[in-house]
Amino acid sequence: MSVQLREAKVFAALLVSMTTGIIVLMAVGSNPPEAGAFCLSNYYCLKPVEKAISSQAVQSPNRWNRIEIYYSNTKAGNIKQLTSLNGFASPEDINCHFVICNGLGGNDGKIQSTENWQRQWSIKPGRSWYGSGQTIRMCMIADGKTSAPTNFQIKRVQELVEKLSETFDIQHIYYPTDW
């Protein structure tokens, strides 16, 4: 008889906990709680880094010897928005190889390759950058002051740097000073 009593208590506890769970989920409705610092399901929705570094032009293993990551000095953006913000005629004029979005203009952590990367072209020296023709430049959408890089951006840049370093045997990587 005590076995039946114990089973009844377990069943009652299960019923109460399931009912409580349903009530909480109904109260939340279509507004689920925010993901923590890192949400794996959102992360897996992003395109793999391997696809992001593929290009239309042939990639030579000795073509690149360093990587530089810099801030866009904007709070939001993507390739198209950076083109218009900087007064460029077309996305081909953006002076980097990759843009890493922060969720304001493109999915958080999305890696966009520019025309420079697709054609394996060097970046032109400008007033803010005087690197070599063998530098891969990545533009992180953030200003580094009031809008810091997101966790997705940091994780994606780490993966991108790792894959490019492995592919092109790159030893020199330069991050923003307040990275």
Side-chain angles (χ1 to χ4, degrees):
M1 185 84 149
S2 82
V3 172
Q4 286 181 335
L5 184 60
R6 183 174 178 195
E7 287 176 354
K9 286 181 182 180
V10 169
F11 180 71
L14 179 64
L15 189 61
V16 167
S17 64
M18 288 177 65
T19 304
T20 304
I22 289 171
I23 291 170
V24 168
L25 289 174
M26 288 173 61
V28 172
S30 61
N31 300 320
E34 284 189 34
F38 188 78
C39 180
L40 200 54
S41 64
N42 288 343
Y43 184 75
Y44 282 123
C45 291
L46 298 171
K47 183 169 69 170
V49 172
E50 290 78 11
K51 287 188 180 183
I53 68 168
S54 64
S55 65
Q56 297 167 354
V58 176
Q59 296 179 345
S60 169
N62 298 324
R63 172 70 179 96
W64 309 105
N65 66 7
R66 68 184 62 184
I67 297 172
E68 177 194 6
I69 298 102
Y70 70 98
Y71 293 129
S72 66
N73 291 321
T74 62
K75 292 182 181 183
N78 56 37
I79 288 177
K80 191 173 185 178
Q81 291 169 340
L82 288 177
T83 300
S84 62
L85 281 173
N86 292 311
F88 297 136
S90 71
E92 297 172 7
D93 297 330
I94 292 179
N95 210 22
C96 66
H97 293 103
F98 297 99
V99 173
I100 297 88
C101 299
N102 65 354
L104 303 171
N107 291 344
D108 192 7
K110 180 178 183 179
I111 299 170
Q112 295 180 307
S113 60
T114 66
E115 198 66 27
N116 292 321
W117 180 256
Q118 290 301 319
R119 297 183 183 194
Q120 296 291 288
W121 288 347
S122 297
I123 299 302
K124 301 169 194 98
R127 53 191 157 101
S128 64
W129 182 75
Y130 304 97
S132 80
Q134 292 184 296
T135 303
I136 298 172
R137 286 192 86 206
M138 297 178 197
C139 179
M140 174 88 68
I141 302 294
D143 66 11
K145 298 171 188 102
T146 59
S147 66
T150 67
N151 291 332
F152 277 150
Q153 284 180 301
I154 292 169
K155 179 70 174 157
R156 296 289 281 181
V157 164
Q158 289 171 343
E159 283 185 46
L160 185 57
V161 165
E162 185 178 308
K163 189 65 178 168
L164 289 168
S165 297
E166 177 185 304
T167 303
F168 298 105
D169 193 30
I170 297 172
Q171 304 298 319
H172 305 287
I173 299 147
Y174 302 96
Y175 293 92
T177 53
D178 54 352
W179 182 262

